[in-house]
Amino acid sequence: MVPALRVIEREQHVLSRKHISKAALHVLYRLNKAGHDAFLVGGAVRDLLLGGKPKDFDVATNATPEEVKELFGHCRLIGRRFRLAHVLCGSEIIEVATFRGSHQDDDADARNSHIVDGRILRDNVWGSIEEDAQRRDFRVNALYYDISNFSLRDYAGGMQDLENRVLRLIGDPVIRYREDPVRMLRAVRLAAKLDFRIDAAAARPFAGLGPKLTEVAPARLFDESLKMFLLGDGLKSFHLLEHHDLLAFLFPATARALQRGDAALRALIETGLASTDRRVLEGKSVTPAFLFAVLLWGEVRKQALLWMGQGKDHSDAWSRAFRKVLAEQCQRVAIPRRFIFTVEDIWLLQPRFEQFQKNKVLRLLSHPRFRAAFDFLLLRRHESPQMCELGQWWTHAQQLPRNLLAKALSRHDNAPVVQVDDTAGVPAPHRRCRHRVNS
Ligand code: ATP
Ligand code: MG
């Protein structure tokens, strides 16, 4: 049953214009002044009511995209199935969506649509604000902030869910996930981000409908993966994906490797995700390549060892393993080529951390991917005590001025400080750390 509309007047809620970006306010006011309805919607309203900082500001209006474009100098219309306006204000982009009519995104409609000039016309059917609200995914995402009087409109019971810290879907969860399986991932991501629980009725269909995720375009799953893992709540998202048995539909190789009960691999993945979350919170840069290198390492290692067991030499075995694992992964989550190259570099540089000739050490230190590969090496401390020592050696080596490091390495102090375990499966010709780094 659809709850009745509840209007919450300005003095009865905490959402203040102070916390809305200037760009979003500008767009809202201008639309309103031109005689259109204009609302702030979605995650921004939800996050502001929770006292958080919105990732982006979305606007909903009864103006058509063409009318929006006429009002703003810097505006482009995007989207094939459903046209949206992107209004550019300085470095900010405000997404302005015209209210959508009901049932525009289910399979039947897509099939019945007419494709003209590559656009599906049936989808561009505008609706009322009530219809727009019913099309949204979670009740907490169907709150509208009205710029004309600063009131809030709650069309689906979202205020109650915010108070109870729960994610409930609008409508029948099975139908809503069938229409768009990505909503299952959004449930996981938002539960992790907001620290909300997923309502039992919204979580129950995961078991039957999880496989539907394999029908989603891999490029879209790449975008969703980045939102899950690179916005500061990656570890929690990962645990929720595992808990709800959804991991295998996104990262089959990771799920397989973890099912083997490899505790070191689990520690490597969890530490990797936690350190990525920390970097995000500290405002440092993060790369998708590191994430994929971490998630796929267990399977790559296993495959390489298998090939070696079949008599392939080290580098052949490893390159076959890279190719196989990355090709399988890209069928689910399309990793763009530029990141694939970096993932491969991170893996390929691992054996070079076991080579201690002066020139090789200095060359590795100035490799453009040194930092990412070194961070990865540090995660591998979970694999063996020797890996841990290797990490310490390179930590120390970086702290030394280059001339002192070069001098220390030239001294040919052959005392082995690290004996690398062959079963670690590293594609390394050198198995011994020959140098202590003593400044
Ligand atoms: P955040 O921006 O914090 O990641 P969000 O909820 O704002 O979370 P967006 O992707 O920005 O997520 O989407 C904006 C709004 O559009 C959502 O709040 C929701 O109302 C609606 N929406 C987004 N994706 C879907 C979907 N797959 N199905 C239905 N509604 C959706
Ligand atoms: Mg948003």
Side-chain angles (χ1 to χ4, degrees):
M1 206 191 69
V2 181
L5 165 66
R6 185 176 153 210
V7 178
I8 302 141
E9 301 300 343
R10 170 64 196 99
E11 53 283 359
Q12 282 155 1
H13 67 73
V14 296
L15 200 157
S16 156
R17 270 168 297 162
K18 272 205 308 265
H19 301 124
I20 302 176
S21 78
K22 278 207 177 68
L25 282 176
H26 165 71
V27 171
L28 287 163
Y29 279 132
R30 178 164 289 187
L31 280 166
N32 202 234
K33 239 179 163 172
H36 304 294
D37 296 338
F39 297 87
L40 187 68
V41 284
V45 178
R46 178 197 70 215
D47 292 351
L48 288 175
L49 288 172
L50 290 168
K53 196 171 174 306
K55 177 160 73 62
D56 43 38
F57 291 89
D58 295 324
V59 168
T61 177
N62 60 353
T64 63
E66 288 72 21
E67 286 170 329
V68 176
K69 192 167 168 52
E70 269 172 33
L71 279 178
F72 297 96
H74 297 285
C75 174
R76 54 169 197 253
L77 302 187
I78 60 144
R80 260 162 46 113
R81 276 195 64 183
F82 193 84
R83 297 240 278 166
L84 296 168
H86 272 181
V87 179
L88 280 78
C89 303
S91 61
E92 220 181 316
I93 295 175
I94 304 297
E95 193 168 287
V96 183
T98 306
F99 298 142
R100 293 169 74 161
S102 50
H103 300 300
Q104 284 162 6
D105 55 352
D106 61 23
D107 295 345
D109 270 271
R111 276 199 299 275
N112 294 335
S113 306
H114 303 288
I115 299 175
V116 175
D117 294 337
R119 266 175 49 208
I120 301 174
L121 295 185
R122 175 70 179 79
D123 285 344
N124 277 326
V125 175
W126 317 127
S128 62
I129 185 169
E130 288 80 9
E131 286 173 300
D132 189 83
Q134 296 313 314
R135 274 200 57 271
R136 291 181 184 270
D137 46 7
F138 300 99
R139 293 167 29 138
V140 292
N141 285 347
L143 292 159
Y144 293 68
Y145 175 79
D146 186 344
I147 199 66
S148 72
N149 59 13
F150 316 126
S151 69
L152 274 177
R153 294 198 192 185
D154 180 358
Y155 282 95
M159 287 303 267
Q160 189 193 339
D161 289 1
L162 278 187
E163 278 158 30
N164 296 329
R165 304 186 73 82
V166 62
L167 288 173
R168 286 177 214 270
L169 273 169
I170 297 171
D172 179 339
V174 171
I175 296 175
R176 301 309 310 278
Y177 291 142
R178 277 188 187 282
E179 280 173 2
D180 183 4
V182 166
R183 290 176 185 145
M184 292 185 266
L185 301 181
R186 288 180 53 85
V188 162
R189 174 167 77 82
L190 292 175
K193 165 177 164 156
L194 305 172
D195 208 10
F196 275 27
R197 84 187 151 77
I198 304 173
D199 175 49
R204 212 172 297 122
F206 289 171
L209 297 179
K212 283 241 147 220
L213 283 169
T214 61
E215 295 166 18
V216 177
R220 188 168 174 215
L221 290 183
F222 175 75
D223 292 343
E224 290 302 320
S225 299
L226 298 196
K227 288 185 199 165
M228 270 190 290
F229 292 113
L230 297 188
L231 292 179
D233 304 292
L235 183 57
K236 257 203 242 167
S237 297
F238 181 79
H239 284 149
L240 282 175
L241 282 178
E242 272 199 303
H243 174 76
H244 290 292
D245 287 330
L246 294 175
L247 186 67
F249 304 113
L250 278 186
F251 299 101
T254 313
R256 269 199 316 270
L258 287 172
Q259 267 159 18
R260 292 194 287 269
D262 182 341
L265 178 66
R266 174 168 291 281
L268 180 146
I269 291 176
E270 292 185 344
T271 318
L273 292 175
S275 75
T276 301
D277 288 346
R278 214 170 24 250
R279 285 183 69 86
V280 174
L281 293 183
E282 289 166 359
K284 294 183 181 160
S285 67
V286 287
T287 164
F290 191 75
L291 170 76
F292 289 103
V294 166
L295 290 174
L296 300 174
W297 173 245
E299 188 67 4
V300 161
R301 227 178 69 157
K302 184 193 142 208
Q303 291 289 335
L305 289 173
L306 277 177
W307 286 116
M308 282 188 265
Q310 289 174 20
K312 302 275 180 243
D313 68 38
H314 259 95
S315 71
D316 189 19
W318 280 88
S319 62
R320 279 168 190 260
F322 289 179
R323 277 202 306 272
K324 184 162 188 282
V325 172
L326 286 168
E328 182 198 20
Q329 184 57 54
C330 286
Q331 284 177 359
R332 291 290 164 85
V333 173
I335 312 169
R337 282 182 80 76
R338 63 186 188 283
F339 297 127
I340 293 267
F341 292 140
T342 312
V343 174
E344 289 184 347
D345 275 349
I346 290 171
W347 289 337
L348 278 168
L349 290 180
Q350 295 307 305
R352 289 178 50 184
F353 286 109
E354 294 177 56
Q355 300 174 357
F356 298 92
Q357 294 93 325
K358 184 178 84 182
N359 288 343
K360 289 189 173 175
V361 167
L362 296 179
R363 223 177 305 133
L364 182 52
L365 281 168
S366 51
H367 191 285
R369 303 265 181 264
F370 173 81
R371 191 69 225 177
F374 169 71
D375 286 344
F376 192 80
L377 174 75
L378 292 183
L379 293 181
R380 294 183 60 210
R381 69 183 178 276
H382 299 290
E383 287 174 7
S384 66
Q386 290 85 356
M387 278 297 150
C388 192
E389 281 184 54
L390 213 49
Q392 286 163 2
W393 193 94
W394 283 91
T395 304
H396 190 38
Q398 286 170 79
Q399 288 158 357
L400 288 180
R402 289 297 152 89
N403 58 343
L404 288 185
L405 176 65
K407 223 165 99 189
L409 289 168
S410 313
R411 279 208 305 267
H412 286 291
D413 170 2
N414 282 339
V417 290
V418 174
Q419 182 81 46
V420 177
D421 177 5
D422 242 0
T423 58
V426 176
H430 292 256
R431 291 278 158 212
R432 223 166 241 269
C433 287
R434 294 163 58 84
H435 296 284
R436 271 186 223 287
V437 190
N438 295 323
S439 48

